[in-house]
Amino acid sequence: MIQYDNHRQKLALICSGQLSLQENVEFFLSNIKKQSNLNAFISVFEEQARKQASLVASKIAQGNAGKLAGMVVAVKDVLALEGEKLTCASAILANFTSIYTATAVQKLIDEDAVIIGKTNCDEFAMGSSNENSAFGAVKNPVNAEYVPGGSSGGSAVAVAAYMCDVALGTDTGGSIRQPASFCGVVGLKPTYSRVSRYGLTAFASSFDTIGPFARSIDDVAAVMEVIAGYDDRDATSSKIAVENYITELSLTSDVLRIGVPKEYFGEGLQPEVRSAITSILDKLREAGHQIQEVSLPSTRNAIATYYILTMAEVSSNLERFDGARYGERAENSANLNDMYCNSRTEKLGKEVKRRILLGTYVLSAGYYDAYYRKAQQVRRLIKEDFSRVFSQVDVLVTPTAPTTAFRIGEKSTDPLEMYLSDIYTTSANLAGIPGMSIPVGSDNNGLPIGLQIMANEFQELELLKLGSVIEKIMR
Amino acid sequence: MSVTKDEAAYIAKLANLNFSEDELVSYTHDLNEMLEYVSQLQAVDTSSVEPLTHPISSEPWMRRDELRPSVSRETALKNAPQTDNEYFIVPKVIKQ
């Protein structure tokens, strides 16, 4: 039913009358219904999507439609869309309605994308399996007994299972790349500050990024071109000009210097994942690209550093959910402080509370220097590792995750083991650099394998260049 | 270094969270497991390393401190659990 590989082709089909946008939206809506067991969506905007499709179809016919005209997009439910529910997959925001729209979402709407719904995720984006949602776990479309990855599991599933063209997710420690890897789609985490965070519910403010999931590199590039850039409502958003990714991609056939960090191929790496990555590296070498081993010695400290810093930021950012001004409030509290405690205790989930507790501990008097400040210092060492390596190579290639998708329930009782599944992805967030996961085959159970590409800050184009090369190898 | 159940209860209080006895035991265990794991950082020599607070070289900027239109009172109160249409209403703060 999908006759196109990317948005450019879709738009050409619509223009030539071979594809009806309205029928295309119906196809996605019916796929969402048929596969409701996967639990990918929290809200579906059936009527609005139909209305928007007719509107955009006539704009296309008149020749005055935007760059993303008719692209059907799902949005992770941590991003605001005015007038719609914003739950963050938490019971404390079960009835919260956004009073404004996130910049990234608004930019898609301004270019005539059709927003089809809001996707399920781990509560406040905290998790690596999408099992921590107040709206129930999301399931992997390849095999529903397996997790889709997290935290942007719903967005990855929506793209993999043809419920939309493209989806927005967020990535704080791997939450776009790891579910992209587990579901067999492309997912890009931009440089920190490349996409405005205005309208994104804060998890860890010095790590959070917004980026696309798609079935092609072209669509990832098309979305990035639209959502990236300066925004006067996010004081951390970068003023560095956004490149014309699509045009640049069509021009290029560079020889790339590819680094392979040895720390990402150690013990715990599933043999099938290792051989899939190695085989791609062999083909890249045959194609004339330069491959060299490099070292990022601080990698071993990434998870510890990541969890100290993000949990500290969590304990601070989530203090606002107290039942006073918005969100759910516990009944029958004797005084204000009881109301705060009861609302938070009743309405926040177990993993969120665990992180708040650890974050409060590392920031508390007497421990700040030993944990928080120490982790900030190690963060600099991790950043310096990358800066050094990127003076020698253009990009790094690694596995996205040490394994393919695991079974639902397999790691949910052991928080530390769950945290370790982010071992290859947290470093990019610590260093603020961009990373992308791209599908490179599947294991013996048919579960997808993802290859991660990382580049220096603001070098998204390098990710897309190598991504295109690998996409061609895979086809 | 290990955290006792009483210390975990004190931290929970700082975070405005209540835990049952059972939950407290389980969270204390998780807290200790995490603290043990992150203690590996103590072995890293950071004596001459400045803390990193902003991960990229493009620095955040300041906006001019001037008045801008914001949300209306009506809109701001839309998601409030309890209001009198002018203020947020919360349980009594001051002891009688």
Side-chain angles (χ1 to χ4, degrees), chain A residues 135-444:
Chain A
F135 297 83
V138 179
K139 290 163 185 169
N140 195 307
V142 176
N143 183 335
E145 285 172 20
Y146 287 78
V147 304
S151 67
S152 313
S155 291
V157 172
V159 172
Y162 290 88
M163 300 173 182
C164 57
D165 289 315
V166 158
L168 286 187
T170 61
D171 191 314
T172 303
S175 284
I176 289 175
R177 291 160 287 157
Q178 186 250 25
S181 168
F182 282 12
C183 294
V185 296
V186 185
L188 186 146
K189 168 234 178 289
T191 303
Y192 177 78
S193 85
R194 183 68 297 185
V195 176
S196 165
R197 289 180 292 118
Y198 180 75
L200 162 64
T201 313
F203 158 9
S205 307
S206 75
F207 293 79
D208 295 341
T209 56
I210 301 168
F213 288 91
R215 292 183 292 268
S216 68
I217 299 290
D218 255 41
D219 284 0
V220 166
V223 171
M224 278 306 297
E225 229 175 88
V226 168
I227 65 173
Y230 166 75
D231 176 19
D232 72 354
R233 288 186 279 202
D234 173 2
T236 58
S237 73
S238 173
K239 292 182 174 174
I240 293 176
V242 179
E243 284 161 294
N244 195 332
Y245 300 124
I246 299 260
T247 313
E248 295 284 336
L249 264 186
S250 65
L251 298 175
T252 180
S253 55
D254 299 353
V255 168
L256 291 162
R257 294 174 302 163
I258 301 168
V260 181
K262 60 179 183 194
E263 290 80 4
Y264 286 66
F265 293 82
E267 65 177 294
L269 180 59
Q270 187 178 325
E272 293 144 295
V273 176
R274 182 192 300 271
S275 64
I277 308 297
T278 311
S279 123
I280 293 288
L281 286 169
D282 288 344
K283 286 177 184 136
L284 289 170
R285 193 180 288 112
E286 284 164 26
H289 297 284
Q290 296 167 13
I291 318 267
Q292 66 179 91
E293 186 180 272
V294 294
S295 176
L296 299 162
S298 295
T299 300
R300 62 178 179 276
N301 296 317
I303 294 273
T305 307
Y306 171 79
Y307 276 98
I308 289 176
L309 295 176
T310 57
M311 289 187 193
E313 294 190 27
V314 163
S315 78
S316 163
N317 274 330
L318 271 69
E319 199 180 346
R320 69 191 63 165
F321 299 104
D322 57 13
R325 293 150 299 156
Y326 46 77
E328 300 298 301
R329 177 185 291 186
E331 305 277 336
N332 304 322
S333 298
N335 57 49
L336 183 67
N337 204 64
D338 281 0
M339 186 203 79
Y340 292 155
C341 289
N342 295 341
S343 302
R344 291 164 65 79
T345 300
E346 285 176 26
K347 305 295 181 185
L348 293 175
K350 193 173 178 193
E351 177 61 24
V352 170
K353 288 184 206 170
R354 184 184 287 126
R355 296 193 192 197
I356 291 175
L357 201 65
L358 188 81
T360 307
Y361 180 82
V362 300
L363 289 177
S364 63
Y367 299 108
Y368 180 90
D369 281 345
Y371 292 107
Y372 189 68
R373 192 183 146 85
K374 183 80 183 179
Q376 285 183 318
Q377 290 171 309
V378 180
R379 187 177 192 180
R380 182 173 298 279
L381 296 176
I382 291 167
K383 175 80 183 173
E384 285 172 354
D385 266 8
F386 281 107
S387 303
R388 182 176 44 75
V389 162
F390 284 126
S391 66
Q392 304 156 24
V393 297
D394 305 311
V395 286
L396 296 170
V397 164
T398 75
T400 306
T403 66
T404 53
F406 43 88
R407 281 181 185 274
I408 292 174
E410 191 180 321
K411 296 188 179 182
S412 53
T413 53
D414 186 347
L416 187 59
E417 204 194 328
M418 185 72 91
Y419 299 160
L420 291 173
S421 63
D422 296 334
I423 195 147
Y424 299 147
T425 46
T426 54
S427 293
N429 302 78
L430 285 157
I433 61 171
M436 181 168 76
S437 181
I438 171 166
V440 290
S442 49
D443 70 6
N444 296 336

Side-chain angles (χ1 to χ4, degrees), chain A residues 97 345 354 374 380 457, chain B residues 18 30 44 50 57 79 89:
Chain A
T97 302
T345 300
R354 184 184 287 126
K374 183 80 183 179
R380 182 173 298 279
E457 51 183 54
Chain B
N18 299 323
D30 294 347
V44 183
E50 277 300 302
S57 49
N79 283 292
I89 298 184

